[in-house]
Amino acid sequence: MTKKLWGGRFQKGTDTLTDDFNSSISFDARLYKQDIQGSIAHAKMLGRQNIITENESKTIVKTLQEILKDIENNQIHFSIDMEDIHMNIESILTERIGDTGKKLHTGRSRNDQVATDMRLYVKDICSEMIDLIKLFGNTLLDIADKNTTTIMPGYTHLQRAQPITFAHHLLAYVEMVKRDMIRFKQTSDMADSLPLGAGALATTTYPLDRYFVAQELGFKGVCLNSIDAVSDRDFCLDFLESVSILMMHLSRLAEEVVLWCSAEFHFVTLDDAFSTGSSIMPQKKNPDIAELVRGKTGRTYGDLISLLTTMKGIPLAYNKDMQEDKEPIFDAFDTAKICIKTITKMMASMHINQNEMHEAAKGGFSNATDAADWLVKHGLPFRDAHGIVGQLVYYCIENHKTLDSLSLEEYQAIDPIFDRTIYEAIDLKTCVNQRNIVGGPAKTIVKRAIAINRNFLK
Ligand code: ARG
């Protein structure tokens, strides 16, 4: 049991179980960079404001920079006795420069310190997530670009509905991840105010220059209320929500890939490098990567719910419960990062079975709407047209035919209005390329959408 930095009013050391239970160093060590950044800015400001001397300020800054290097070179051992990253670094500083090191914490509390560290950290990981999303989105655009004429069935209720192209289908996911990007940007904005200066909860009597510190650390502004500054973890929740929604999107894609690579669909073939085998069934090639992305989505929801629940009952201002913000954030970030990186490579290496997609689009009467639209263009009200094509479909099912393979006589037996141009109208290519209003699957429209998205994801 070592003497704690806060040990003055205590007659006795802490129990080892207390140390184990209370300490966060085993996980918050990853905040070392942000913690040192924050301390450097604080020390510079203390010097400028003559709260400590210019020399003391310089010594602290220089030593903190050395400590940062030493941590990065694995030369520092953090101690559980020092509880968390903040006190570990402060005590190393004091070991190295004695009493001067003890002055760093002037006008500061761990409460505004940890809030600052977390905001810096969340801003950093938001920008990392945005870069990963861009990479993923561009990978989808690359695949889309090669598949603007790859016809496949579009589904509703997982029943073949209308023909689309694989490019158009992928662009739906691009829209989702564009929103994800915006969400991470908004999360970063939510984290973009400086808590330092709030102290434990009620600021401080020292003439701190909070705007200087904010500028040094790249914050857009300063937190306006000291109580909120140390109590707010909304930005953490925003991050967890952004991760959860991103993961939900990846999970839907993963689910589709699982379906597509089944023998029943056979729309895609996964590269061997992104598939796994079975320990008993020699023939198996399983989409474990996609399944794990789908599976890991659940734990990120858990991270979000965990912190929401932690936060819901704690009175203002800081409470130790809030130390529980870190592991969900770290876990959600690690999970989302590995998932999006892996699914990006899995998608990039996946083979698209264009013929199978096309064959599937031919079945299931996916061009029935177009037959009805042909009738409408020849003067029938849509409801009547719907009824007539319904009869045609029923006739086809009974006689094991498709709309394309019916003879003109068979068409005319159901309604004499039909003529030869019906065949052109229900050709899958026509079905896709006639849907050429903005948002549609026609090749020209999809090409334009790809270009717009390329620009967005630059
Ligand atoms: N390790 C703590 C946390 O993560 C730092 C803040 C501790 N503040 C306190 N008053 N005990 O929340």
Side-chain angles (χ1 to χ4, degrees):
M1 266 168 269
T2 25
K3 184 109 173 114
K4 296 288 190 281
L5 291 182
W6 40 251
R9 62 98 64 219
F10 289 79
Q11 299 303 306
K12 210 174 158 182
T14 44
D15 193 280
T16 49
L17 201 54
T18 301
D19 287 343
D20 281 347
F21 185 63
N22 192 44
S23 73
S24 50
I25 188 65
S26 63
F27 50 86
D28 69 12
R30 30 166 136 180
L31 296 174
Y32 73 88
K33 212 194 300 159
Q34 289 79 11
D35 195 72
I36 290 177
Q37 256 180 305
S39 289
I40 288 177
H42 182 68
K44 279 189 188 165
M45 182 274 297
L46 291 177
R48 280 167 60 101
Q49 299 296 99
N50 294 316
I51 300 166
I52 61 175
T53 69
E54 209 41 55
N55 263 341
E56 287 167 337
S57 166
K58 282 200 177 117
T59 309
I60 293 174
V61 170
K62 187 170 145 281
T63 313
L64 284 170
Q65 282 159 345
E66 289 162 6
I67 294 172
L68 176 62
K69 253 193 231 133
D70 292 346
I71 295 173
E72 280 174 346
N73 292 327
N74 258 326
Q75 275 157 6
I76 301 276
H77 171 75
F78 293 127
S79 143
I80 211 174
D81 287 325
M82 285 300 133
E83 204 175 311
D84 56 24
I85 187 63
H86 325 294
M87 293 201 292
N88 264 280
I89 288 173
E90 191 187 324
S91 80
I92 297 164
L93 179 72
T94 302
E95 261 166 41
R96 294 190 182 185
I97 57 173
D99 284 351
T100 305
K102 295 184 189 165
K103 295 191 177 180
L104 170 63
H105 212 51
T106 313
R108 186 176 76 168
S109 156
R110 268 187 299 156
N111 298 351
D112 57 352
Q113 187 179 357
V114 72
T116 303
D117 291 6
M118 283 306 279
R119 282 172 181 262
L120 287 170
Y121 183 77
V122 165
K123 279 177 39 167
D124 287 346
I125 58 180
C126 280
S127 96
E128 231 181 287
M129 286 311 303
I130 289 171
D131 288 345
L132 290 169
I133 291 173
K134 282 185 186 169
L135 206 64
F136 174 67
N138 275 302
T139 301
L140 295 187
L141 291 180
D142 293 341
I143 307 170
D145 220 2
K146 292 186 198 118
N147 288 282
T148 53
T149 56
T150 306
I151 291 177
M152 72 179 274
Y155 294 84
T156 64
H157 313 267
L158 201 56
Q159 307 285 322
R160 278 171 281 193
Q162 289 174 341
I164 53 168
T165 64
F166 191 51
H168 190 54
H169 194 89
L170 289 180
L171 288 191
Y173 285 101
V174 173
E175 291 302 317
M176 296 178 218
V177 298
K178 276 159 66 188
R179 292 192 292 273
D180 289 319
M181 252 176 78
I182 294 169
R183 232 172 258 116
F184 281 107
K185 174 75 179 68
Q186 286 168 343
T187 298
S188 184
D189 290 344
M190 283 295 182
D192 211 4
S193 301
L194 173 80
L196 275 181
L201 80 160
T203 71
T204 171
T205 53
Y206 298 100
L208 304 188
D209 183 351
R210 299 186 65 206
Y211 291 103
F212 171 79
V213 177
Q215 204 178 14
E216 282 288 294
L217 293 175
F219 283 108
K220 254 193 224 127
V222 303
C223 297
L224 204 53
N225 178 283
S226 63
I227 300 172
D228 183 57
V230 293
S231 315
D232 171 34
R233 291 295 182 275
D234 290 2
F235 62 97
C236 294
L237 293 167
D238 286 328
F239 181 78
L240 295 171
E241 187 223 24
S242 303
V243 165
S244 296
I245 298 179
L246 166 69
M247 286 298 295
M248 179 268 287
H249 293 150
L250 298 184
S251 182
R252 291 181 79 172
L253 177 61
E255 163 66 8
E256 295 207 299
V257 169
V258 171
L259 287 173
W260 291 340
C261 68
S262 69
E264 284 70 11
F265 276 81
H266 201 49
F267 284 3
V268 301
T269 305
L270 291 178
D271 193 85
D272 281 1
F274 291 90
S275 317
T276 45
S278 155
S279 59
I280 174 169
M281 297 166 282
Q283 85 284 10
K284 289 297 289 285
K285 177 173 166 184
N286 294 326
D288 285 24
I289 302 298
E291 290 168 70
L292 266 179
V293 169
R294 192 176 59 184
K296 283 177 187 289
T297 301
R299 65 189 281 165
T300 64
Y301 294 0
D303 293 327
L304 170 62
I305 297 300
S306 154
L307 187 58
L308 275 172
T309 313
T310 299
M311 294 305 296
K312 85 178 181 56
I314 46 185
L316 301 180
Y318 179 84
N319 298 265
K320 189 73 172 215
D321 316 42
M322 289 159 75
Q323 182 164 283
E324 292 292 309
D325 61 354
K326 289 171 198 63
E327 285 160 295
I329 290 278
F330 298 155
D331 181 69
F333 173 57
D334 292 345
T335 305
K337 185 169 152 176
I338 183 90
C339 285
I340 194 165
K341 274 182 155 177
T342 316
I343 203 172
T344 299
K345 280 188 126 181
M346 183 195 78
M347 292 299 290
S349 61
M350 181 175 89
H351 183 260
I352 317 300
N353 302 328
Q354 298 174 331
N355 285 339
E356 280 82 350
M357 285 187 179
H358 195 255
E359 284 307 308
K362 279 196 203 158
F365 305 100
S366 69
N367 50 3
T369 313
D370 299 86
D373 288 342
W374 185 94
L375 288 170
V376 170
K377 284 170 195 158
H378 287 75
L380 267 72
F382 181 75
R383 256 318 132 224
D384 294 344
H386 187 288
I388 292 166
V389 178
Q391 288 175 50
L392 279 168
V393 167
Y394 182 74
Y395 175 86
C396 288
I397 294 169
E398 289 292 291
N399 296 283
H400 305 289
K401 295 196 164 181
T402 63
L403 291 175
D404 321 65
S405 66
L406 288 183
S407 68
L408 191 55
E409 290 68 40
E410 285 172 307
Y411 269 108
Q412 287 172 339
I414 293 202
D415 198 306
I417 192 175
F418 281 112
D419 65 42
R420 296 228 145 262
T421 59
I422 182 65
Y423 294 108
E424 166 64 15
I426 61 167
D427 182 82
L428 294 182
K429 241 197 237 150
T430 318
C431 300
V432 166
N433 288 323
Q434 290 296 315
R435 288 182 162 77
N436 58 4
I437 60 170
V438 67
K443 183 179 169 179
T444 47
I445 299 296
V446 166
K447 283 276 183 200
R448 206 180 306 152
I450 292 174
I452 293 170
N453 287 324
R454 282 269 186 228
N455 195 41
F456 190 98
L457 295 170
K458 248 198 330 243

